[in-house]
Amino acid sequence: WFTHFYVVSVVWNGSLLYWLFRAEFLGESLPSWIQDMHRALGRDSQSEDMGNEYFSALLVLLLLWLHSCRRLAECLWTSVFSNGLIHIVQYFYGLGFYIAVGSTVLCQVPTNVRTGKELSVQIRWYHIVGITMYIWASLHQHRCLVILAKLRKNKSGKVVRLGYDVPFGDWFESVSCPHYFAELLIYVSMAITLGFQNVTWWCVVMCVLFNQALAAVLSHEFYQKNFRSYPKHRKAFIPHVF
């Protein structure tokens, strides 16, 4: 069921990325339905040039789309899911989240104003910091998901069980759910890429924080309840903190 989230995200956010790319580099206006969405959300399409925010939004949409592509690939070819069921509220929340989050990025820029600057001029230090952090967190998230998948496979890579076991290696040595922590870092990296000061995106980060923290605590309690020898030094979500 989680696969559905990333299929929707790849298609929807890929479409938004396509339109924003054409607006940024080909000088085209965004489609009328996007401009209508801007107006509905209180964004003035005639607002003055916002300079580097246009390029920052383009980068963040690209990072979001790449993140969705990677997670979709992991759902299809890496992860081994249990036979548990997802709650219908969680399912529709997930679908709505990935539709809303891309729209949130797009609504940070005017609908018909281009920066008019060369690409090399638009690159800022926070773009480099944000993208570097994004790559670092994504690599660790992938490694942790591979570790979890191997717990249900034999040495030849065949799935032999759907039960649970204690994972070790990488960030699992510090926390029970490093893949949730990495998810938070990925969204923080996008906030950095937007230049730190985008209040709307920090609200998205807080949403991800509470959602992932709750899931991490529940998983941590599950491990402690079902495995008596579970490492006592591990935190649930943030290394050495929480």
Side-chain angles (χ1 to χ4, degrees):
W1 295 101
F2 276 83
T3 305
H4 298 178
F5 300 160
Y6 303 115
V7 169
V8 169
S9 183
V10 167
V11 174
W12 171 254
N13 293 312
S15 299
L16 297 182
L17 177 63
Y18 170 78
W19 290 115
L20 188 58
F21 180 88
R22 294 183 67 88
E24 172 72 4
F25 295 106
L26 300 181
E28 299 181 0
S29 296
L30 294 174
S32 58
W33 63 270
I34 293 181
Q35 298 189 37
D36 291 340
M37 180 177 66
H38 273 62
R39 284 189 287 270
L41 296 175
R43 183 64 165 179
D44 183 6
S45 64
Q46 299 298 326
S47 60
E48 63 182 42
D49 190 350
M50 299 188 68
N52 210 46
E53 289 194 23
Y54 221 116
F55 182 63
S56 298
L58 181 67
L59 283 178
V60 171
L61 258 183
L62 176 61
L63 295 179
L64 180 63
W65 182 73
L66 290 174
H67 176 61
S68 301
C69 289
R70 177 179 62 82
R71 291 294 295 117
L72 176 59
E74 288 167 342
C75 285
L76 294 174
W77 297 298
T78 301
S79 298
V80 180
F81 295 103
S82 69
N83 52 7
L85 298 177
I86 187 174
H87 196 284
I88 189 171
V89 174
Q90 184 184 13
Y91 178 73
F92 283 107
Y93 169 83
L95 293 177
F97 174 83
Y98 283 103
I99 293 175
V101 74
S103 305
T104 299
V105 177
L106 200 62
C107 286
Q108 302 310 296
V109 298
T111 57
N112 59 0
V113 179
R114 299 182 66 248
T115 63
K117 299 179 181 179
E118 296 295 331
L119 180 63
S120 59
V121 177
Q122 295 179 340
I123 296 176
R124 298 290 184 266
W125 65 268
Y126 50 81
H127 295 153
I128 298 174
V129 173
I131 292 173
T132 301
M133 182 177 179
Y134 171 89
I135 295 173
W136 175 65
S138 297
L139 287 174
H140 279 284
Q141 187 178 56
H142 178 72
R143 290 173 185 171
C144 293
L145 291 172
V146 170
I147 290 173
L148 287 174
K150 286 183 177 179
L151 294 177
R152 292 173 173 172
K153 298 178 180 179
N154 57 22
K155 293 183 179 181
S156 63
K158 182 179 179 180
V159 177
V160 294
R161 60 196 297 267
L162 296 179
Y164 297 90
D165 205 346
V166 179
F168 291 92
D170 204 76
W171 287 356
F172 279 110
E173 300 302 323
S174 300
V175 290
S176 296
C177 300
H179 47 308
Y180 295 155
F181 178 55
E183 185 81 2
L184 173 63
L185 293 181
I186 287 170
Y187 280 87
V188 170
S189 73
M190 295 181 194
I192 294 173
T193 305
L194 284 170
F196 289 97
Q197 298 180 349
N198 192 298
V199 176
T200 305
W201 192 260
W202 281 112
C203 292
V204 174
V205 172
M206 293 302 295
C207 178
V208 173
L209 168 63
F210 289 119
N211 180 273
Q212 300 298 301
L214 174 60
V217 168
L218 294 175
S219 297
H220 186 66
E221 292 176 348
F222 174 86
Y223 281 127
Q224 291 178 322
K225 179 180 179 180
N226 290 275
F227 300 98
R228 292 185 177 181
S229 60
Y230 193 72
K232 297 184 181 298
H233 67 277
R234 288 189 190 181
K235 299 296 184 179
F237 185 46
I238 302 176
H240 312 295
V241 177
F242 172 69

